[in-house]
Amino acid sequence: SRIQDRFTLGGHLNMRGFKNKGIGPRAAQANDSDAVGKPSLVFQNDGAIGGEAFYSATLRAETGVPFKVLRRYGIESHAFLSAGNCFTPRITATLNALQQTRFSAGFGIFKDFGGVRAELNYCIPVRAMQHLGDQTAPGLRFGLAMEWM
């Protein structure tokens, strides 16, 4: 498939706790031999090539904030759990893709601005596949977008 027809996953729009395009097939190049003499693969940091399929879901629980000053400005809090994967079915069997589901969790505050949403979250990548080149983004993250999961 053409590169513009491929999907990427990761970032504050769909998988908080992972860098933008941080999940899914990546360009890899052979590195020098490892200790046992086998060539090892190194995934390029910006080498996201995307997959032909993906799935993702987010479970969120929203509540008010305990501070009056934040409530006065319409700021709310939430906790979330996200799961997903980005893959190419011809390369990765669907069952294998399900076994490689990535998870992230966290909590934060948000404000809706009539179609635009701003979030400040503390994100924890619970399950990442570092050997497949996943790029995580743990800690405090800010996001601003029109589409949210």
Side-chain angles (χ1 to χ4, degrees), residues 4 12 15 20-21 31 35 40 53 55 62 64 71-72 80-81 85 88 97 105-106 114 118 136 144-146:
Q4 66 267 29
H12 65 271
M15 281 292 288
N20 190 33
K21 298 190 255 181
N31 197 10
S40 58
Y55 59 90
E62 297 180 4
R71 279 197 303 260
R72 188 175 330 149
F80 60 88
L81 175 63
N85 194 2
T88 300
T136 60
L144 183 65
M146 294 180 69

PDB file of all heavy atoms in Angstrom, residues 4 12 15 20-21 31 35 40 53 55 62 64 71-72 80-81 85 88 97 105-106 114 118 136 144-146:
ATOM      1  N   GLN A   4       0.733   7.092   2.079  1.00  0.00           N
ATOM      2  CA  GLN A   4      -0.351   7.979   2.493  1.00  0.00           C
ATOM      3  C   GLN A   4      -1.629   7.227   2.839  1.00  0.00           C
ATOM      4  O   GLN A   4      -2.556   7.801   3.401  1.00  0.00           O
ATOM      5  CB  GLN A   4      -0.623   9.066   1.434  1.00  0.00           C
ATOM      6  CG  GLN A   4      -1.152   8.546   0.132  1.00  0.00           C
ATOM      7  CD  GLN A   4      -0.077   8.273  -0.891  1.00  0.00           C
ATOM      8  OE1 GLN A   4       1.052   7.964  -0.552  1.00  0.00           O
ATOM      9  NE2 GLN A   4      -0.412   8.383  -2.158  1.00  0.00           N
ATOM     10  N   HIS A  12      -1.379  12.338  21.727  1.00  0.00           N
ATOM     11  CA  HIS A  12      -2.502  12.716  22.584  1.00  0.00           C
ATOM     12  C   HIS A  12      -3.866  12.539  21.931  1.00  0.00           C
ATOM     13  O   HIS A  12      -4.878  12.595  22.609  1.00  0.00           O
ATOM     14  CB  HIS A  12      -2.333  14.143  23.113  1.00  0.00           C
ATOM     15  CG  HIS A  12      -2.382  15.190  22.059  1.00  0.00           C
ATOM     16  ND1 HIS A  12      -1.269  15.618  21.391  1.00  0.00           N
ATOM     17  CD2 HIS A  12      -3.418  15.885  21.553  1.00  0.00           C
ATOM     18  CE1 HIS A  12      -1.612  16.541  20.521  1.00  0.00           C
ATOM     19  NE2 HIS A  12      -2.903  16.726  20.597  1.00  0.00           N
ATOM     20  N   MET A  15      -3.468   7.566  21.667  1.00  0.00           N
ATOM     21  CA  MET A  15      -2.789   6.725  22.666  1.00  0.00           C
ATOM     22  C   MET A  15      -1.886   7.601  23.518  1.00  0.00           C
ATOM     23  O   MET A  15      -0.696   7.762  23.236  1.00  0.00           O
ATOM     24  CB  MET A  15      -1.981   5.610  22.004  1.00  0.00           C
ATOM     25  CG  MET A  15      -2.777   4.423  21.531  1.00  0.00           C
ATOM     26  SD  MET A  15      -3.512   3.434  22.831  1.00  0.00           S
ATOM     27  CE  MET A  15      -2.084   2.639  23.525  1.00  0.00           C
ATOM     28  N   ASN A  20       3.844  10.778  19.252  1.00  0.00           N
ATOM     29  CA  ASN A  20       3.099  10.828  18.000  1.00  0.00           C
ATOM     30  C   ASN A  20       3.722   9.837  17.012  1.00  0.00           C
ATOM     31  O   ASN A  20       4.926   9.860  16.798  1.00  0.00           O
ATOM     32  CB  ASN A  20       3.123  12.252  17.435  1.00  0.00           C
ATOM     33  CG  ASN A  20       2.190  12.434  16.297  1.00  0.00           C
ATOM     34  OD1 ASN A  20       1.132  11.819  16.244  1.00  0.00           O
ATOM     35  ND2 ASN A  20       2.563  13.291  15.371  1.00  0.00           N
ATOM     36  N   LYS A  21       2.927   8.973  16.434  1.00  0.00           N
ATOM     37  CA  LYS A  21       3.380   7.901  15.534  1.00  0.00           C
ATOM     38  C   LYS A  21       4.338   6.936  16.246  1.00  0.00           C
ATOM     39  O   LYS A  21       5.195   6.346  15.625  1.00  0.00           O
ATOM     40  CB  LYS A  21       4.041   8.468  14.276  1.00  0.00           C
ATOM     41  CG  LYS A  21       3.114   9.301  13.426  1.00  0.00           C
ATOM     42  CD  LYS A  21       3.760   9.623  12.103  1.00  0.00           C
ATOM     43  CE  LYS A  21       4.198  11.055  12.089  1.00  0.00           C
ATOM     44  NZ  LYS A  21       4.812  11.448  10.837  1.00  0.00           N
ATOM     45  N   ASN A  31      22.146  -3.561  12.458  1.00  0.00           N
ATOM     46  CA  ASN A  31      23.242  -2.992  13.234  1.00  0.00           C
ATOM     47  C   ASN A  31      24.396  -3.984  13.201  1.00  0.00           C
ATOM     48  O   ASN A  31      24.286  -5.079  12.664  1.00  0.00           O
ATOM     49  CB  ASN A  31      22.765  -2.751  14.670  1.00  0.00           C
ATOM     50  CG  ASN A  31      23.669  -1.811  15.423  1.00  0.00           C
ATOM     51  OD1 ASN A  31      24.550  -1.197  14.846  1.00  0.00           O
ATOM     52  ND2 ASN A  31      23.432  -1.699  16.713  1.00  0.00           N
ATOM     53  N   ALA A  35      26.580  -9.873  20.680  1.00  0.00           N
ATOM     54  CA  ALA A  35      27.586 -10.695  21.363  1.00  0.00           C
ATOM     55  C   ALA A  35      27.676 -12.112  20.807  1.00  0.00           C
ATOM     56  O   ALA A  35      28.727 -12.731  20.840  1.00  0.00           O
ATOM     57  CB  ALA A  35      27.291 -10.745  22.857  1.00  0.00           C
ATOM     58  N   SER A  40      21.812  -7.486  14.690  1.00  0.00           N
ATOM     59  CA  SER A  40      20.631  -7.013  15.403  1.00  0.00           C
ATOM     60  C   SER A  40      20.011  -5.864  14.615  1.00  0.00           C
ATOM     61  O   SER A  40      20.659  -5.233  13.804  1.00  0.00           O
ATOM     62  CB  SER A  40      21.005  -6.561  16.816  1.00  0.00           C
ATOM     63  OG  SER A  40      21.982  -5.546  16.752  1.00  0.00           O
ATOM     64  N   ALA A  53      -3.684  -1.575   9.248  1.00  0.00           N
ATOM     65  CA  ALA A  53      -4.837  -1.730  10.134  1.00  0.00           C
ATOM     66  C   ALA A  53      -4.444  -1.245  11.527  1.00  0.00           C
ATOM     67  O   ALA A  53      -3.269  -1.218  11.875  1.00  0.00           O
ATOM     68  CB  ALA A  53      -5.267  -3.189  10.190  1.00  0.00           C
ATOM     69  N   TYR A  55      -6.320  -0.717  15.775  1.00  0.00           N
ATOM     70  CA  TYR A  55      -7.454  -0.649  16.679  1.00  0.00           C
ATOM     71  C   TYR A  55      -7.007   0.125  17.907  1.00  0.00           C
ATOM     72  O   TYR A  55      -5.840   0.099  18.287  1.00  0.00           O
ATOM     73  CB  TYR A  55      -7.981  -2.038  17.063  1.00  0.00           C
ATOM     74  CG  TYR A  55      -6.960  -2.927  17.737  1.00  0.00           C
ATOM     75  CD1 TYR A  55      -6.814  -2.924  19.114  1.00  0.00           C
ATOM     76  CD2 TYR A  55      -6.129  -3.759  16.982  1.00  0.00           C
ATOM     77  CE1 TYR A  55      -5.865  -3.731  19.726  1.00  0.00           C
ATOM     78  CE2 TYR A  55      -5.190  -4.562  17.585  1.00  0.00           C
ATOM     79  CZ  TYR A  55      -5.073  -4.555  18.963  1.00  0.00           C
ATOM     80  OH  TYR A  55      -4.133  -5.344  19.566  1.00  0.00           O
ATOM     81  N   GLU A  62     -14.652  10.937  34.040  1.00  0.00           N
ATOM     82  CA  GLU A  62     -14.530  12.370  34.282  1.00  0.00           C
ATOM     83  C   GLU A  62     -15.193  12.745  35.601  1.00  0.00           C
ATOM     84  O   GLU A  62     -16.189  12.148  35.989  1.00  0.00           O
ATOM     85  CB  GLU A  62     -15.204  13.166  33.167  1.00  0.00           C
ATOM     86  CG  GLU A  62     -14.581  12.980  31.817  1.00  0.00           C
ATOM     87  CD  GLU A  62     -15.282  13.786  30.741  1.00  0.00           C
ATOM     88  OE1 GLU A  62     -16.217  14.558  31.067  1.00  0.00           O
ATOM     89  OE2 GLU A  62     -14.902  13.645  29.581  1.00  0.00           O
ATOM     90  N   GLY A  64     -15.411  16.382  38.564  1.00  0.00           N
ATOM     91  CA  GLY A  64     -15.024  17.762  38.851  1.00  0.00           C
ATOM     92  C   GLY A  64     -13.686  17.801  39.573  1.00  0.00           C
ATOM     93  O   GLY A  64     -13.206  16.802  40.089  1.00  0.00           O
ATOM     94  N   ARG A  71     -12.592  25.037  39.160  1.00  0.00           N
ATOM     95  CA  ARG A  71     -14.004  24.828  38.767  1.00  0.00           C
ATOM     96  C   ARG A  71     -14.598  26.108  38.192  1.00  0.00           C
ATOM     97  O   ARG A  71     -15.406  26.072  37.272  1.00  0.00           O
ATOM     98  CB  ARG A  71     -14.820  24.369  39.981  1.00  0.00           C
ATOM     99  CG  ARG A  71     -14.687  22.907  40.275  1.00  0.00           C
ATOM    100  CD  ARG A  71     -15.801  22.436  41.201  1.00  0.00           C
ATOM    101  NE  ARG A  71     -15.845  23.178  42.455  1.00  0.00           N
ATOM    102  CZ  ARG A  71     -15.335  22.743  43.597  1.00  0.00           C
ATOM    103  NH1 ARG A  71     -14.734  21.574  43.654  1.00  0.00           N
ATOM    104  NH2 ARG A  71     -15.442  23.471  44.691  1.00  0.00           N
ATOM    105  N   ARG A  72     -14.199  27.243  38.746  1.00  0.00           N
ATOM    106  CA  ARG A  72     -14.713  28.533  38.284  1.00  0.00           C
ATOM    107  C   ARG A  72     -14.410  28.747  36.801  1.00  0.00           C
ATOM    108  O   ARG A  72     -15.158  29.395  36.083  1.00  0.00           O
ATOM    109  CB  ARG A  72     -14.080  29.656  39.108  1.00  0.00           C
ATOM    110  CG  ARG A  72     -14.675  31.002  38.845  1.00  0.00           C
ATOM    111  CD  ARG A  72     -14.141  32.100  39.745  1.00  0.00           C
ATOM    112  NE  ARG A  72     -13.739  31.595  41.052  1.00  0.00           N
ATOM    113  CZ  ARG A  72     -12.764  32.112  41.771  1.00  0.00           C
ATOM    114  NH1 ARG A  72     -12.085  33.144  41.325  1.00  0.00           N
ATOM    115  NH2 ARG A  72     -12.450  31.612  42.945  1.00  0.00           N
ATOM    116  N   PHE A  80      -7.823   7.845  32.722  1.00  0.00           N
ATOM    117  CA  PHE A  80      -8.027   7.120  31.473  1.00  0.00           C
ATOM    118  C   PHE A  80      -7.186   5.847  31.429  1.00  0.00           C
ATOM    119  O   PHE A  80      -6.172   5.726  32.102  1.00  0.00           O
ATOM    120  CB  PHE A  80      -7.698   7.995  30.257  1.00  0.00           C
ATOM    121  CG  PHE A  80      -6.277   8.485  30.233  1.00  0.00           C
ATOM    122  CD1 PHE A  80      -5.278   7.732  29.643  1.00  0.00           C
ATOM    123  CD2 PHE A  80      -5.933   9.696  30.807  1.00  0.00           C
ATOM    124  CE1 PHE A  80      -3.966   8.175  29.617  1.00  0.00           C
ATOM    125  CE2 PHE A  80      -4.638  10.148  30.779  1.00  0.00           C
ATOM    126  CZ  PHE A  80      -3.643   9.385  30.194  1.00  0.00           C
ATOM    127  N   LEU A  81      -7.646   4.926  30.614  1.00  0.00           N
ATOM    128  CA  LEU A  81      -6.924   3.697  30.275  1.00  0.00           C
ATOM    129  C   LEU A  81      -7.094   3.517  28.776  1.00  0.00           C
ATOM    130  O   LEU A  81      -8.222   3.478  28.278  1.00  0.00           O
ATOM    131  CB  LEU A  81      -7.481   2.497  31.025  1.00  0.00           C
ATOM    132  CG  LEU A  81      -6.898   1.131  30.666  1.00  0.00           C
ATOM    133  CD1 LEU A  81      -5.415   1.076  31.001  1.00  0.00           C
ATOM    134  CD2 LEU A  81      -7.634   0.028  31.384  1.00  0.00           C
ATOM    135  N   ASN A  85      -3.174  -0.967  18.950  1.00  0.00           N
ATOM    136  CA  ASN A  85      -2.053  -1.478  18.178  1.00  0.00           C
ATOM    137  C   ASN A  85      -2.228  -1.022  16.733  1.00  0.00           C
ATOM    138  O   ASN A  85      -3.334  -0.755  16.281  1.00  0.00           O
ATOM    139  CB  ASN A  85      -1.979  -3.001  18.248  1.00  0.00           C
ATOM    140  CG  ASN A  85      -0.655  -3.553  17.761  1.00  0.00           C
ATOM    141  OD1 ASN A  85       0.241  -2.808  17.393  1.00  0.00           O
ATOM    142  ND2 ASN A  85      -0.529  -4.855  17.763  1.00  0.00           N
ATOM    143  N   THR A  88       0.348  -4.471  10.186  1.00  0.00           N
ATOM    144  CA  THR A  88       0.059  -4.866   8.810  1.00  0.00           C
ATOM    145  C   THR A  88      -0.332  -6.340   8.824  1.00  0.00           C
ATOM    146  O   THR A  88       0.500  -7.183   9.139  1.00  0.00           O
ATOM    147  CB  THR A  88       1.282  -4.627   7.908  1.00  0.00           C
ATOM    148  OG1 THR A  88       1.587  -3.229   7.950  1.00  0.00           O
ATOM    149  CG2 THR A  88       1.015  -5.046   6.479  1.00  0.00           C
ATOM    150  N   ALA A  97      -1.192  -9.656  16.665  1.00  0.00           N
ATOM    151  CA  ALA A  97      -1.428  -8.225  16.871  1.00  0.00           C
ATOM    152  C   ALA A  97      -2.207  -7.997  18.165  1.00  0.00           C
ATOM    153  O   ALA A  97      -1.923  -7.057  18.905  1.00  0.00           O
ATOM    154  CB  ALA A  97      -2.177  -7.634  15.687  1.00  0.00           C
ATOM    155  N   ALA A 105      -2.044   4.428  30.813  1.00  0.00           N
ATOM    156  CA  ALA A 105      -2.999   4.897  31.815  1.00  0.00           C
ATOM    157  C   ALA A 105      -2.530   6.252  32.310  1.00  0.00           C
ATOM    158  O   ALA A 105      -1.371   6.637  32.125  1.00  0.00           O
ATOM    159  CB  ALA A 105      -3.089   3.906  32.971  1.00  0.00           C
ATOM    160  N   GLY A 106      -3.429   6.962  32.948  1.00  0.00           N
ATOM    161  CA  GLY A 106      -3.036   8.235  33.508  1.00  0.00           C
ATOM    162  C   GLY A 106      -4.219   9.032  34.016  1.00  0.00           C
ATOM    163  O   GLY A 106      -5.354   8.550  34.065  1.00  0.00           O
ATOM    164  N   GLY A 114     -15.485  24.804  23.305  1.00  0.00           N
ATOM    165  CA  GLY A 114     -16.427  24.787  22.197  1.00  0.00           C
ATOM    166  C   GLY A 114     -15.872  24.135  20.943  1.00  0.00           C
ATOM    167  O   GLY A 114     -15.693  24.795  19.938  1.00  0.00           O
ATOM    168  N   ALA A 118      -8.366  21.173  25.512  1.00  0.00           N
ATOM    169  CA  ALA A 118      -6.993  21.237  26.016  1.00  0.00           C
ATOM    170  C   ALA A 118      -6.885  20.285  27.204  1.00  0.00           C
ATOM    171  O   ALA A 118      -7.776  20.259  28.051  1.00  0.00           O
ATOM    172  CB  ALA A 118      -6.642  22.651  26.441  1.00  0.00           C
ATOM    173  N   THR A 136       7.823   5.749  23.707  1.00  0.00           N
ATOM    174  CA  THR A 136       6.933   6.166  24.775  1.00  0.00           C
ATOM    175  C   THR A 136       7.168   7.631  25.143  1.00  0.00           C
ATOM    176  O   THR A 136       8.207   8.203  24.834  1.00  0.00           O
ATOM    177  CB  THR A 136       7.120   5.286  26.022  1.00  0.00           C
ATOM    178  OG1 THR A 136       8.477   5.399  26.463  1.00  0.00           O
ATOM    179  CG2 THR A 136       6.797   3.828  25.714  1.00  0.00           C
ATOM    180  N   LEU A 144      -3.612  19.575  22.698  1.00  0.00           N
ATOM    181  CA  LEU A 144      -4.645  20.486  22.219  1.00  0.00           C
ATOM    182  C   LEU A 144      -5.113  19.952  20.886  1.00  0.00           C
ATOM    183  O   LEU A 144      -4.311  19.760  19.978  1.00  0.00           O
ATOM    184  CB  LEU A 144      -4.043  21.892  22.062  1.00  0.00           C
ATOM    185  CG  LEU A 144      -4.975  23.013  21.641  1.00  0.00           C
ATOM    186  CD1 LEU A 144      -6.026  23.263  22.717  1.00  0.00           C
ATOM    187  CD2 LEU A 144      -4.172  24.276  21.371  1.00  0.00           C
ATOM    188  N   ALA A 145      -6.431  19.681  20.771  1.00  0.00           N
ATOM    189  CA  ALA A 145      -6.916  19.095  19.524  1.00  0.00           C
ATOM    190  C   ALA A 145      -8.428  19.262  19.410  1.00  0.00           C
ATOM    191  O   ALA A 145      -9.109  19.631  20.360  1.00  0.00           O
ATOM    192  CB  ALA A 145      -6.540  17.632  19.450  1.00  0.00           C
ATOM    193  N   MET A 146      -8.921  18.914  18.227  1.00  0.00           N
ATOM    194  CA  MET A 146     -10.355  18.941  17.966  1.00  0.00           C
ATOM    195  C   MET A 146     -10.980  17.559  18.022  1.00  0.00           C
ATOM    196  O   MET A 146     -12.184  17.433  18.055  1.00  0.00           O
ATOM    197  CB  MET A 146     -10.627  19.580  16.612  1.00  0.00           C
ATOM    198  CG  MET A 146     -10.241  21.037  16.579  1.00  0.00           C
ATOM    199  SD  MET A 146     -10.554  21.825  14.998  1.00  0.00           S
ATOM    200  CE  MET A 146     -12.317  21.837  14.961  1.00  0.00           C
TER     201      MET A 146
END
